[in-house]
Each structure stands twice: as C-alpha cells, then as structure tokens.
C-alpha cells in the first residue's frame, strides 16, 4: 500500500468484506457513519484491520477526525509514507 489508489482499493475491499457493503457504495466521498452506517464498534474493527495490513496503528484521536472514506485514505497514507 504505497499510493492513495492502493490504499483506497485495500480499504474498499476491507469495508466490503468486513461490513458486507456493496462495492459501488464505497466511494472516496462516502461518509463512514451516514452513508456506510459504520458505528463506533465497526470503526474499531476497521482500525484493527488497517493495523494488520500496514503493521501500524492509526491513533484513536486521529481516527475520531475522519468522516469520509477519503479521510481514512489520507490518514493511512500519512501513516505509511515516511515524512519528507
């Protein structure tokens, strides 16, 4: 998972697998809580899934700020990309 596209594809696959969402509903603009109906327990499962895929954990405080799929993509991108 090096590019934002890679991260999005992995995240979309995870959301489809973990929460049985239709792939076409998982877009960058989709709101996790309103559009995809992800609740706080689901968010913890998603954070855990990301940790298993990347070997790194998103801080709970940072995850509280995410609202859309794109927000998650950006948070993971910052996590896996070394600072310049």
């Amino acid at each position: 998972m090096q590019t934002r596209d890679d991260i999005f594809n992995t995240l979309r696959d995870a959301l489809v697998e973990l929460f049985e969402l239709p792939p076409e509903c998982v877009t960058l603009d989709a709101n996790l809580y309103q559009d995809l109906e992800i609740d706080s327990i689901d968010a913890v499962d998603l954070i855990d899934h990301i940790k298993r895929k990347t070997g790194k954990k998103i801080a709970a405080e940072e995850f509280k700020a995410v609202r859309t799929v794109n927000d998650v993509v950006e948070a993971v991108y910052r996590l896996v990309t070394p600072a310049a």
Side-chain angles (χ1 to χ4, degrees):
M1 288 196 309
Q2 298 300 321
T3 68
R4 287 176 175 88
D5 285 339
D6 291 342
I7 294 167
F8 171 71
N9 289 329
T10 300
L11 181 61
R12 182 186 57 218
D13 293 346
L15 289 165
V16 168
E17 178 186 331
L18 293 170
F19 309 117
E20 300 176 1
L21 296 169
E24 63 273 8
C25 291
V26 183
T27 64
L28 287 172
D29 295 331
N31 184 293
L32 294 174
Y33 308 104
Q34 295 170 351
D35 300 331
L36 304 180
E37 298 181 1
I38 302 294
D39 63 24
S40 58
I41 294 171
D42 293 337
V44 171
D45 290 342
L46 184 58
I47 290 170
D48 186 55
H49 185 82
I50 291 167
K51 181 180 177 187
R52 288 194 309 271
K53 288 287 189 183
T54 64
K56 300 177 183 187
K57 184 176 181 180
I58 294 178
E61 286 73 35
E62 185 169 0
F63 202 83
K64 285 179 186 176
V66 304
R67 295 289 175 256
T68 66
V69 171
N70 190 60
D71 293 341
V72 180
V73 169
E74 288 302 317
V76 172
Y77 184 77
R78 287 190 302 273
L79 192 66
V80 300
T81 304

